[in-house]
């Protein structure tokens, strides 16, 4: 089973990388970009076929390793 | 209009960061992880309301700045 895990900074936290990209896009004459926030995506392949079990496994992976839940949100998308 | 841009390494290219995460998940007793590949996600807010124009803008942004098309794929998801 394939899954995507998306980890993003929580709203309200400053994202300097996103701000830098915003500025760079402006200077490249790409108009109308109001905001950019950068996050991480993990494309995971699992042996587990059961959706509920896969979800539980990935939640554990996020909490223990992939996301810093103090400053980051994560979401799990099962394919 | 909101859009997500997802940039991932092309298939076949070694992803050492993904491999490291794979190893770490194993050592954390999270079983059945067959592969992990890490990518980047950009959450963009655009003033443009027209879908076709937004797509064209974001394509330019990817080609010029966000993705290294020699080694990376990108996909654009308009919300």
């Amino acid at each position: 089973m394939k899954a995507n895990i998306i980890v993003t900074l929580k709203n309200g936290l400053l994202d300097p990388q996103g701000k830098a990209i915003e500025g760079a896009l402006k200077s490249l004459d790409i108009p109308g970009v109001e905001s950019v926030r950068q996050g991480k995506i993990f494309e995971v392949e699992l042996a587990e076929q059961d959706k509920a079990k896969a979800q539980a496994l990935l939640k554990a992976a996020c909490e223990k390793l992939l996301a810093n839940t103090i400053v980051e949100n994560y979401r799990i998308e099962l394919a």
Side-chain angles (χ1 to χ4, degrees), chain A:
Chain A
M1 177 177 279
K2 283 192 181 190
N4 285 336
I5 296 171
I6 293 161
V7 177
T8 51
L9 268 183
K10 286 190 178 172
N11 282 336
L13 286 174
L14 185 66
D15 176 7
Q17 222 172 348
K19 283 277 167 220
I21 293 167
E22 234 178 279
L25 288 175
K26 255 170 221 148
S27 70
L28 283 170
D29 274 333
I30 293 174
V33 177
E34 285 174 349
S35 84
V36 180
R37 289 179 79 80
Q38 183 173 354
K40 288 174 277 189
I41 183 165
F42 303 95
E43 300 180 325
V44 182
E45 223 158 305
L46 287 174
E48 184 59 64
Q49 290 302 318
D50 181 84
K51 278 210 172 187
K53 281 183 196 161
Q55 179 89 26
L57 267 182
L58 293 174
K59 188 161 185 283
C62 287
E63 303 276 346
K64 286 187 188 167
L65 181 71
L66 300 176
N68 173 354
T69 53
I70 299 169
V71 292
E72 291 171 329
N73 291 321
Y74 65 86
R75 58 180 194 270
I76 297 166
E77 295 173 354
L78 291 170

